[in-house]
Amino acid sequence: MNFNDYLSKVSPGESVLIEHTSLSMHALAFYAIGEKYGWDRVLLVDVIDSSVPAVRWLRLSGLSVPENMTRIKAGGVSDWGNIILEIDPHKDPGIFLSKFSRKIREVYSKSDFTVTVIMNPERLVPLQNGNRNFILMLSNMASAFLGNPRRITFYFVNREMTEEIYLALLEEAFTRVLCFTGKRNLRVLKSPEMEEEGIELNLGFKKQV
């Protein structure tokens, strides 16, 4: 099945975890999400400039990503996009998560439908020295908006870099878990439609990259 077609199966209110590696073409999955739902609906939560390599790779491949994408900047130095909130992940984690939660709720309340893409939140964990309480707070934040029909959320997590406990908590909480098995292929590991589990998805594009 084509990944783009599979996105049609995801219902409002769901949260989807996409596990990738450093060599996966997860940038293509990000691009497919933007094209499927419309870039004007996408809210990018960019953790320590995680999106920058993906966006640069896409542009060098000839795939266009809007310069004015709505973006929450959680650390990093890049200033591209329409930044609606900038928060410092190095400071008190409680304040950091509180500011983030408040802004997300505000965005959802003002929009009919938002597609939130959270890029590599696992990069926050080392900043707190792998603190288990922080991992629990971060994972609880991930599941706080499940069921809200005004949004769908996609989490991109590098499974080579993340703490096992953090990944396990996300897998437990989310409605769907997809895992890259090759550069362009993903497997459905978890779905509310159990017959889907184990099927392979491919990132097919007319343009060769």
Side-chain angles (χ1 to χ4, degrees):
M1 179 183 289
N2 187 284
F3 177 75
N4 187 67
D5 294 335
Y6 184 77
L7 291 176
S8 299
K9 293 177 170 289
V10 182
S11 301
E14 287 200 57
S15 290
V16 181
L17 175 62
I18 300 177
E19 301 177 11
H20 64 87
T21 69
S22 299
L23 293 177
S24 301
M25 289 187 177
H26 59 283
L28 286 178
F30 171 53
Y31 180 79
I33 290 166
E35 290 291 296
K36 177 70 173 181
Y37 297 102
W39 291 104
D40 58 325
R41 288 180 167 176
V42 173
L43 169 63
L44 175 63
V45 180
D46 197 1
V47 178
I48 318 178
D49 286 342
S50 296
S51 72
V52 173
V55 170
R56 285 176 178 168
W57 185 89
L58 288 168
R59 288 174 177 164
L60 287 170
S61 299
L63 298 171
S64 177
V65 177
E67 290 277 359
N68 62 343
M69 187 187 308
T70 304
R71 181 170 171 248
I72 290 178
K73 178 181 173 182
V77 297
S78 67
D79 289 322
W80 74 278
N82 173 27
I83 298 174
I84 61 172
L85 176 67
E86 184 172 351
I87 42 181
D88 186 349
H90 298 84
K91 293 184 177 179
D92 182 277
I95 295 174
F96 167 81
L97 293 175
S98 176
K99 287 182 177 179
F100 172 73
S101 176
R102 187 162 57 247
K103 176 55 72 171
I104 286 283
R105 292 179 190 279
E106 178 186 318
V107 171
Y108 292 163
S109 69
K110 292 181 178 180
S111 174
D112 290 335
F113 186 67
T114 302
V115 179
T116 306
V117 175
I118 300 184
M119 195 69 77
N120 297 114
E122 75 279 359
R123 295 189 179 190
L124 295 170
V125 175
L127 300 182
Q128 302 298 328
N129 298 313
N131 183 284
R132 293 300 175 95
N133 287 331
F134 177 71
I135 291 173
L136 286 171
M137 286 193 296
L138 194 61
S139 60
N140 286 339
M141 177 73 69
S143 59
F145 300 100
L146 277 169
N148 184 335
R150 290 177 175 267
R151 40 63 80 201
I152 290 174
T153 298
F154 295 89
Y155 265 59
F156 284 83
V157 172
N158 188 328
R159 65 174 182 267
E160 296 175 330
M161 297 174 59
T162 188
E163 293 270 353
E164 288 186 11
I165 185 174
Y166 180 55
L167 188 62
L169 287 167
L170 294 182
E171 288 175 338
E172 182 178 62
F174 280 21
T175 55
R176 297 176 191 263
V177 178
L178 312 180
C179 180
F180 271 86
T181 57
K183 285 191 174 183
R184 287 175 174 265
N185 300 310
L186 304 94
R187 179 176 294 128
V188 179
L189 300 184
K190 181 181 178 182
S191 170
E193 301 173 49
M194 289 183 288
E195 66 276 8
E196 291 180 2
E197 294 182 2
I199 68 170
E200 296 283 337
L201 310 175
N202 63 80
L203 291 164
F205 287 85
K206 293 180 181 179
K207 180 178 179 60
Q208 296 296 314
V209 295

